[in-house]
Amino acid sequence: MFENQKISTLQFFILVLFFTIGNTIINAPSLIASQAKQDAWISSILSLGFGLCLALLYCYLASKFPNKTIVQFSEIILGKIVGKIFSLFLISYFLIIASLMIRQFGDFMTTIIMPETPSLAIHLLFLSIIVTGAYLGIETLGRSGEVILPTLFILLVVPFLFLLPEMDINNLKPVYENGFNPIMRGTISHLGIPYLQLIVILMIFPYVKDIKKAKKIFILGVLLGGFILTTVILYSILSLGVILTEIKHYPPYFMAQKISIGDIVERLEVLIAGTWFITIFFKTTILLYAINLGLSQVFNYKNNRPMIFGLGYLLLILTQFITPNIVYFNDFFKNIVPPYGLTFGLFFPLLLLSIYIIKRKKMPTFASENN
């Protein structure tokens, strides 16, 4: 049972940071540059600002129900039946995101690193690691994050330092060439990944030992993660230019291929790939953990660990059919994920907040019941 596990504020910060970086570090530059062009870095900064507002909204809801996940307090606010229905839709959102993560990992491996390996084999191997991590629980995942965090920063910082000679400030010009609309389109796309997906963190919020500090730590994790993503987008445009950033599926990976210092320091793209492998593993594992925990709370299962294996198998099947190819995958992220994310990452929590405020005024005993 997962309910007895607890994580420290540092572990919570690491999990939020890893989730925020997630898969976004590898595909966000291309996604945003395709809409905002050389102003993609402006879109990234704006989306970070909106993302912090979302984090504040999530923190406010979590503070009103400090010992409840979003599945549990949805039933309290909306009623049992309606709350369970909404929770199942939210869990389906987590399921789709997780399957997209696994599919993206498989596409990257079979396209760039191991082209002759069947994608199914890659998906099976990756899923086995994810299922193991989710089975061991959030406490083990948090401790793993503590161990891996220094390695992650080394993998991030080293390529950035060696890329400095490749920077060309002219790649950012002209600033604001196409006006505000393309920048806003890029901002909305970036909101879809990862900021609107951060609602899944409300599934692990109650398991932080110090709930009061958890709210500040959540904001800090989102802020640092967003800063890293903005830096990656800026570096991609400065080193590759807007055209290559837009047409390459994995700009940071190809950006690192440009590093060559005295024919000694080369092929550092493996560091970027390593960073992505770490963060996408943590993000997908958190999603699987949340799916399993959410379903067990909706259907009142006491022993929810064995269900993880069935969910892993379901993810494997869904991954094979969710997108037919990488072109469709990128189009899905650009046009489908943002509105889908707005529904569950913004409108749903706003609905919960509105009903909570109304019920709290009309039913004074409601607030005391859940605090």
Side-chain angles (χ1 to χ4, degrees), residues 35-43 46 169-187 237 242:
Q35 302 186 72
K37 306 302 178 184
Q38 66 269 21
D39 293 328
W41 62 277
I42 302 177
S43 294
L46 289 175
I169 193 66
N170 291 318
N171 288 335
L172 296 180
K173 300 176 182 178
V175 177
Y176 204 68
E177 179 184 21
N178 301 307
F180 192 63
N181 287 338
I183 293 175
M184 279 309 299
R185 287 198 297 270
T187 301
I237 298 173
V242 66

Side-chain angles (χ1 to χ4, degrees), residues 61-168:
L61 280 171
S63 67
K64 298 304 175 182
F65 305 90
N67 300 312
K68 306 288 184 182
T69 68
I70 187 171
V71 169
Q72 292 173 319
F73 65 69
S74 293
E75 293 186 22
I76 296 172
I77 295 173
L78 301 174
K80 274 200 169 184
I81 296 177
V82 177
K84 287 181 185 295
I85 293 172
F86 270 82
S87 295
L88 287 174
F89 278 114
L90 182 64
I91 292 168
S92 71
Y93 174 56
F94 299 158
L95 190 67
I96 290 173
I97 298 171
S99 63
L100 287 170
M101 299 303 97
I102 299 166
R103 181 56 187 258
Q104 187 177 30
F105 180 83
D107 287 344
F108 176 82
M109 293 295 291
T110 55
T111 303
I112 305 297
I113 298 179
M114 304 169 68
E116 297 183 5
T117 304
S119 60
L120 181 60
I122 301 294
H123 294 155
L124 274 171
L125 180 61
F126 189 45
L127 255 173
S128 65
I129 302 172
I130 292 167
V131 168
T132 302
Y135 181 84
L136 293 174
I138 199 68
E139 188 174 323
T140 302
L141 198 63
R143 291 176 180 174
S144 301
E146 283 183 301
V147 175
I148 293 174
L149 183 64
T151 303
L152 179 74
F153 274 109
I154 292 173
L155 294 177
L156 275 173
V157 170
V158 170
F160 285 172
L161 290 176
F162 285 122
L163 273 168
L164 286 174
E166 302 291 334
M167 303 291 102
D168 184 359

Side-chain angles (χ1 to χ4, degrees), residues 4-75:
N4 297 325
Q5 297 189 355
K6 292 288 183 179
I7 56 175
S8 67
T9 50
L10 174 60
Q11 292 167 351
F12 182 60
F13 166 77
I14 293 169
L15 294 181
V16 172
L17 174 64
F18 285 1
F19 189 93
T20 303
I21 298 173
N23 65 309
T24 317
I25 193 172
I26 202 78
N27 70 333
S30 176
L31 177 67
I32 302 170
S34 66
Q35 302 186 72
K37 306 302 178 184
Q38 66 269 21
D39 293 328
W41 62 277
I42 302 177
S43 294
S44 184
I45 294 174
L46 289 175
S47 64
L48 174 57
F50 288 124
L52 291 173
C53 293
L54 285 171
L56 288 171
L57 171 62
Y58 300 156
C59 286
Y60 184 82
L61 280 171
S63 67
K64 298 304 175 182
F65 305 90
N67 300 312
K68 306 288 184 182
T69 68
I70 187 171
V71 169
Q72 292 173 319
F73 65 69
S74 293
E75 293 186 22

Side-chain angles (χ1 to χ4, degrees), residues 195-214:
Y195 300 111
L196 289 167
Q197 298 171 354
L198 285 166
I199 192 169
V200 74
I201 300 299
L202 291 178
M203 290 300 299
I204 63 175
F205 223 106
Y207 305 112
V208 183
K209 292 177 183 178
D210 193 337
I211 292 292
K212 293 182 179 179
K213 290 183 179 179

